[in-house]
Structure formats: C-alpha cells, structure tokens
Amino acid sequence: MGNAQNTVTMEKIVSLAKRRGFIFSSSEIYGGLSSAWDYGPLGSELKNRLQRYWWREMTQLHDNIVGMDAAIMMHPRVWEASGHVAGFSDKMVEDTVTNERYRWDHLTNEQQETRTSPNGNPLSEPRDFNLLFKTHLGPTADSGSTVYLRPETAQGSYVNFRNVVQTSRMKLPFGIAQVGKAFRNEIVTKNFIFRTCEFEQMEMQYFVKPGEDEKWFEHWKEKRMEYYRKLGIRPDHLRFHEHGPDELAHYAKTAFDIEYYYPFGWQELEGIHNRTDFDLSRHAEYSGKDLSYLEEETKERFVPYIVETAVGLTRTVLVVLCDAYEEEEVAEGDVRTVLRLHPQIAPVTVGVFPLVKKDGLAELARQIELDLRNEFATFYDQGGAIGRRYRRQDEIGTPYGVTIDYETKENGTVTVRFRDTMEQVRVPVEELANRIRSEIRNYKRVGA
Ligand code: ATP
C-alpha cells in the first residue's frame, strides 16, 4: 500500500462537498446567502446517520436517558430566566478602515492590547452584541409578541424537567437528550459549516444529586471522548481544553471542551459543562413553579445539578469529513481520494456493480442489490470501467463494494471489495448480508 498523505485543506473539503452533493451554499442560484448551507443528497444522509449514531449512543444504550423534541420557539420568559436576554452576547470590534467585524475573544493578546486589527488598522471600542434572533409571534410587532429563536436546545429540557419526571417516572441520576436546530446571530461566520447562524445541536442534560456532580462530570467527559474514538476519529486530532476562570459561562462551575484539530487549527467540537443548579433554580424563580426533586430513599428534597454534553451536529459533519479525507498514492502517479467514514455513518454502505452489463450480469446484480436494500443503504452502478466505479465510491466513503461477474453465474459467489484496504474477497451470495453485517460491527479504522 502507498503512503497516506495528510493533505486535507478546507478548499479540498468544500470542493468535494459541492462536487459530490454533500453540501451546497444556500440559495445558490441567487448568489448564495452568507454562511448558510444546504445539505444535498449525500450530506443529508451523512447528517441523519450521525444524528442516529449519537441518539443510539446517548439514549438507547442507557436505561436512564430519555429523548425529547421541544419547540424552537419558547415562552420569552425562558430566555430571561436562562440569562440569554441580558447576557448572551459577544464583544465585537470593528476595523476602523475596512469596517470588518471581529469577535474580541478571537483576537490575539497583542491585537487586544494594541487595539489593532489583523489587517494592522486601528480597532473601534469593544461593544456587546447580543446573539439572540428576535422575531414576533402573530400579526402585531409589539413587545408583547416578541419571541426568540432558541440559541440552544438545553432550555427545552430544563422547562420540561417536571413533565419528564412525572410521566417517565425517572429517578436521579437521569438524562434528557435532544437534537434540533439552534440559531445564533454570530458576529463572524466562517470556515464553511464550522460556525453558522443556523445549525443543529445534539445535547444531553444529566440531572444529578448535588455533591455527585463532579463524579458525573468526570464520567461524561471520559465517555464523550471515548465516543469520538469509537466513531473512528483519529485520537491525535482530539484533545481536552479546560475553561479558565475568564472563559467560564455564567452558569458553569467547570467546563471542558473536546477540541478537534481542523485544517484551520485546534477549535471546539463539543462542550461538557457542570451547570450546577443554576438552570432549574432560575426557572423555578421565574415561573413560580417548584422544580425541586424528592429523593424517595432519603426523603431529601433538593434542586438537581445538571451536567451537560453539548455538540453541534453540523459541526460534527465537518469533523468527520475532515478526519476521513485522505489522498492515497495507490501506484506511482495514481492518487485516489478516499473518505474513511465509519460504516455506520457513511451515506452509502454497499455499492453493487455488475462487471459488465451483458450476459445477464446486470439483472443478477440488480437482484442482489434489491435484496441488500432491505437492510443496507445501497447504490447500484453499471456504468464505466469497474476501477472508476470503485473510485467514485471511495470518494464518498462507501465502505463495501460488491461485484458480480461471470464466476457469480457459475458458482454463486461475488467479490467484496473493502474501501480502506482495497482488498477483495469472494463470498457466497447467501452469506453476503451476514458478512457485511459483521464487517460493520467489527469495523476498525486503519491506523486508528
Ligand atoms: P463559541 O464560544 O465558539 O461561540 P460556545 O462555546 O458558546 O461557542 P456552546 O454554547 O457550548 O458553544 O455550544 C455547544 C456546541 O454547539 C458547540 O460545541 C458547537 O459544536 C455547537 N455550536 C455552537 N455555536 C455554533 C455555531 N454558530 N455553528 C455551528 N455549531 C455551533
């Protein structure tokens, strides 16, 4: 096998995403909308699969974590109680010559001290900019009709705490998981889908007894890192970053980010936060409802602490694309592009190809593909040289290719080709589904 080259750049990711139908810029025929993106046929599959992967890991594999799907629009008091109306802002500065805007905390110490922009021009005074998107419910646009587009899914879980305890009879510790859209009027959006104003989050709120919060915080911190390794993300591209006192959000006692090494450097992928009893106490205060919890065994009543794991679904799409992308020299002067996506999230799991169209091979291949379709995401392709068909699937991360040839007609076996190693084995048709199932279950990324 040739040497793998780590040549990924954002240009390559954006170009592949566009070329193969993962991600398009929003309303492209009108010139696009700055930093808004549409997920195409392969991108929406990848995103859906990532969401399902997370959902299974965070709900189905636990007795004590349930799912929820709260509305994007909530009572405006929610955002007063949460602190977002008063304090969900970033400090913004402007280059006084070019009028370019920057987030104060994204500038270097030197730029902050000298009040100079990355272009070397003087900067304006920093001022607070609130990130909440505001709109109006109903026909009048007065202050009584103001609603906000939620900037996080978490608050939907907090305000439903009582409902979930009562209806699901959950006992501490337990979690509420949610996946959904969130909106932030970001000062600067850049790096493709890394930071956008509309995005999707996958968040889990774990309610615990005060005093046990630090133990659960450690637990989830480790669990979440393990999750990325299981997903096949290269361990040397992941690290923790602990928030110092000046970085901590108003609600947090401790916070760690899981950072990924993107083509533009180390940046946040996920946040794990010990939010204490801040959220439930504030909602109890603002709503006048009792949000305490009675522990049956001890008859103690208290307001639970919350440990949160919060990650962007759309940001994870970027991470898996960057991490999976490889250009590999297969023979001298012959480089293939391959996406080493985990088989559970790859948009297509099995490509099915007749070696040639004639002599009944196409019909046979089609039948095999239809049988596999019940269980796997398949793609049938009969056009062009077989090597080119393999390469087209490598480029979108299809982990398995099945080729039907003359031997299939003679002895009922097909060739299974593995994306990562390009190895090929012959497998009887009746064992094919079983073989693919076990390959998926035992998948390990080469070199990870
Ligand atoms: P930052 O300080 O970088 O603006 P944050 O630390 O406030 O972000 P959180 O509120 O912790 O972010 O959000 C949880 C997760 O949601 C982040 O780790 C990230 O994966 C995702 N996320 C947050 N903002 C955006 C955005 N504008 N676009 C895409 N994903 C986002």
Side-chain angles (χ1 to χ4, degrees):
M1 199 76 26
N3 288 329
Q5 302 163 22
N6 199 4
T7 50
V8 63
T9 60
M10 284 311 284
E11 289 71 33
K12 286 182 179 178
I13 297 295
V14 175
S15 151
L16 174 76
K18 165 91 209 276
R19 191 169 72 246
R20 297 305 310 269
F22 282 92
I23 299 163
F24 309 119
S25 57
S26 158
S27 358
E28 195 184 78
I29 60 169
Y30 287 99
L33 180 67
S34 157
S35 97
W37 303 94
D38 295 342
Y39 290 75
L42 294 179
S44 54
E45 283 291 344
L46 175 61
K47 184 154 72 65
N48 284 342
R49 272 153 212 270
L50 263 173
Q51 173 179 338
R52 281 209 295 276
Y53 188 91
W54 182 91
W55 191 261
R56 189 178 122 76
E57 285 286 325
M58 298 302 280
T59 68
Q60 287 162 4
L61 298 185
H62 303 268
D63 289 331
N64 65 342
I65 305 183
V66 290
M68 263 216 52
D69 186 11
I72 287 173
M73 287 187 287
M74 303 178 75
H75 194 289
R77 290 278 285 166
V78 168
W79 305 110
E80 288 168 26
S82 69
H84 284 82
V85 171
F88 190 50
S89 51
D90 285 332
K91 275 204 188 324
M92 175 173 83
V93 279
E94 250 180 63
D95 181 312
T96 51
V97 178
T98 64
N99 296 329
E100 259 177 283
R101 297 193 171 124
Y102 300 95
R103 246 172 80 166
W104 181 249
D105 63 334
H106 286 176
L107 298 175
T108 62
N109 284 345
E110 197 194 330
Q111 287 163 342
Q112 288 181 354
E113 276 157 25
T114 57
R115 287 280 165 88
T116 330
S117 81
N119 296 325
N121 300 321
L123 285 168
S124 66
E125 279 294 304
R127 63 185 168 96
D128 285 331
F129 177 76
N130 194 298
L131 274 62
L132 278 179
F133 272 107
K134 213 192 242 187
T135 184
H136 292 278
L137 205 56
T140 51
D142 56 36
S143 62
S145 67
T146 298
V147 286
Y148 302 98
L149 300 184
R150 68 177 177 198
E152 61 181 26
T153 66
Q155 301 299 326
S157 301
Y158 305 151
V159 299
N160 279 291
F161 170 72
R162 257 187 11 170
N163 284 337
V164 173
V165 170
Q166 284 165 3
T167 56
S168 310
R169 305 177 60 215
M170 301 304 284
K171 291 195 168 44
L172 254 49
F174 77 89
I176 302 180
Q178 276 207 80
V179 178
K181 291 253 175 179
F183 302 83
R184 297 181 187 181
N185 201 2
E186 298 279 0
I187 296 167
V188 183
T189 55
K190 61 176 178 191
N191 292 324
F192 195 30
I193 54 172
F194 175 78
R195 188 184 302 284
T196 47
C197 291
E198 173 180 345
F199 56 101
E200 279 173 84
Q201 286 189 312
M202 307 189 285
E203 299 194 302
M204 195 277 292
Q205 315 301 322
Y206 206 66
F207 299 87
V208 305
K209 188 174 180 176
E212 295 184 0
D213 50 311
E214 287 175 20
K215 175 183 93 185
W216 286 113
F217 183 85
E218 277 309 308
H219 170 86
W220 282 111
K221 196 179 131 216
E222 295 310 321
K223 269 265 178 219
R224 294 303 300 155
M225 187 58 107
E226 203 182 296
Y227 162 93
Y228 290 110
R229 298 206 179 115
K230 222 170 114 182
L231 190 58
I233 307 297
R234 290 166 295 176
D236 63 346
H237 278 55
L238 291 165
R239 72 176 188 195
F240 284 118
H241 162 77
E242 182 174 9
H243 283 214
D246 53 333
E247 285 174 280
L248 276 180
H250 60 279
Y251 53 74
K253 172 171 153 188
T254 332
F256 271 75
D257 291 339
I258 294 178
E259 292 189 333
Y260 179 75
Y261 189 56
Y262 300 86
F264 44 88
W266 287 101
Q267 292 279 339
E268 175 172 342
L269 164 59
E270 166 156 350
I272 299 134
H273 312 125
N274 182 344
R275 302 183 64 127
T276 70
D277 58 1
F278 176 84
D279 303 279
L280 289 181
S281 302
R282 291 276 286 203
H283 285 304
E285 182 192 334
Y286 278 65
S287 68
K289 301 288 187 308
D290 180 11
L291 298 180
S292 66
Y293 175 87
L294 177 68
E295 190 173 59
E296 268 172 32
E297 302 79 51
T298 59
K299 303 282 176 264
E300 256 183 272
R301 188 172 273 288
F302 50 83
V303 176
Y305 269 41
I306 294 167
V307 173
E308 169 188 59
T309 74
V311 61
L313 169 57
T314 41
R315 193 172 286 185
T316 316
V317 170
L318 179 61
V319 165
V320 298
L321 285 176
C322 292
D323 203 69
Y325 187 98
E326 235 173 80
E327 287 174 6
E328 184 183 39
E329 190 167 17
V330 181
E332 212 180 311
D334 181 13
V335 176
R336 71 165 180 154
T337 301
V338 54
L339 281 189
R340 299 192 192 279
L341 294 172
H342 193 290
Q344 282 180 14
I345 61 163
V348 178
T349 319
V350 193
V352 180
F353 321 106
L355 185 65
V356 290
K357 277 183 261 184
K358 56 185 189 189
D359 301 326
L361 291 189
E363 291 73 15
L364 190 54
R366 195 63 166 155
Q367 190 51 51
I368 290 172
E369 191 254 335
L370 288 176
D371 289 344
L372 289 173
R373 219 186 248 200
N374 288 323
E375 200 179 336
F376 307 104
T378 57
F379 181 77
Y380 176 79
D381 187 4
Q382 61 177 28
I386 190 73
R388 280 179 61 96
R389 282 181 271 167
Y390 286 150
R391 292 290 172 88
R392 284 179 57 79
Q393 294 304 309
D394 288 345
E395 200 185 38
I396 62 164
T398 306
Y400 312 110
V402 171
T403 303
I404 285 79
D405 57 16
Y406 289 103
E407 232 182 297
T408 314
K409 281 175 78 177
E410 281 163 28
N411 64 12
T413 63
V414 293
T415 301
V416 177
R417 173 189 180 269
F418 299 96
R419 172 200 68 199
D420 288 352
T421 56
M422 294 189 291
E423 270 165 21
Q424 305 192 6
V425 293
R426 284 207 83 91
V427 175
V429 175
E430 61 270 21
E431 284 170 26
L432 185 57
N434 246 338
R435 177 67 188 258
I436 295 170
R437 214 177 291 132
S438 99
E439 290 291 340
I440 296 173
R441 203 175 320 119
N442 300 318
Y443 178 79
K444 254 204 142 341
R445 180 165 170 175
V446 187

